[in-house]
Amino acid sequence: MEHSRFYYYVSAILFISGLFFPDMVGSIGINYGQIANNLPTPDNVIPLVKSIGATKVKLYDADPRVLKAFANTGVEFIVGLGNEYLSKMRDPDKAQVWVKANVQAYLPATKITCITIGNEILSFNDSSLTDNLLPAMQGIHTALVNLGLDKQVSVTTAHSLSVLEVSYPPSAGSFRKDLVGCITPILNFHAKTNSPFLINAYPFFAFKSNPKQVSLDFVLFQPNQGKLAGHLKGDEDEVGATFENAKKYNGNLLKTICQRKGTPMRPNTDLNIYVFALFNENMKPGPTSERNYGLFKPDGSPAYSLGINGTGLISTNSTATTTTTTTITTPAPQSQQSSSTGYLSISVAVKVMFLTS
């Protein structure tokens, strides 16, 4: 990841001393990655998801084992279509076949509400992938329309923060000029279909790469002059990757969500949170932190505890780390007062996926 990216780091778990508070936050989600060889079966994952009060799950594929297991649980799902399928989705017939097999087949028992098309496509500098991204999004959306599913299932794609020319401080954010030609029609698609714009943000790495400019207080949601990380376990050069910082971040984040503050630009917007990630994944490549984002260990025990009191507020002494993904529905141009839904994905480690619109 380039040092120029700014990474937002957000995390939240609602597990403490065997007590669960599923109604504490309006809507909590969890990223369910499976790059590991020691994870429990999907059937055994259901009680873990419910134990943290999560009502939404984000997959990186459309794993039939998971989608079948979660039938009739009421849990909402975001499913993913891999980068390798983009070119095929330009074909309306192939797009409809994919939607029928990976979405329609599980409805309504499994509540699939969104499809992500590819992941961080514009950061690869691959013209073939870039050229196929929007047509693939349009192809899948058209298939949903033809099948009468477009009102219940939206279509989006997840971007890297490298699509931003300026990302720090967040209030100064702007898109890269060389990507305006790609981003503009995608934003138009979101506005037309009322779908979320997603960005994966990694705040911990912002602090790691530029600790002089990016303060740790900012990254941890601690009182500061106005600028946000956390990490659970990392290598020697991953300063700040501690349980203490992880819990502080998660606790302060949840407190913010409980207070329903929204964001500075949209103070009245409710944010749904997607915690990244459900499990530590032992086969993920890269530094140690990549394998330690989980709220849970593979045996189902919590990777760390997060302090929550009976009133639904987070103890300021709590400590835990996570990654997050935030998404906010892009409102149509004419409906300026429509409230948008935010999807915030959080993970216990060093990375954060921030999906926003």
Side-chain angles (χ1 to χ4, degrees), residues 129-143:
L129 286 174
T130 299
D131 292 345
N132 284 316
L133 178 56
L134 182 58
M137 296 171 68
Q138 294 169 329
I140 292 294
H141 177 70
T142 298

Side-chain angles (χ1 to χ4, degrees), residues 108-126:
T110 303
K111 297 178 64 176
I112 299 174
T113 59
C114 184
I115 305 169
T116 56
I117 310 299
N119 186 56
E120 301 190 350
I121 295 298
L122 300 184
S123 66
F124 289 115
N125 295 318
D126 184 323

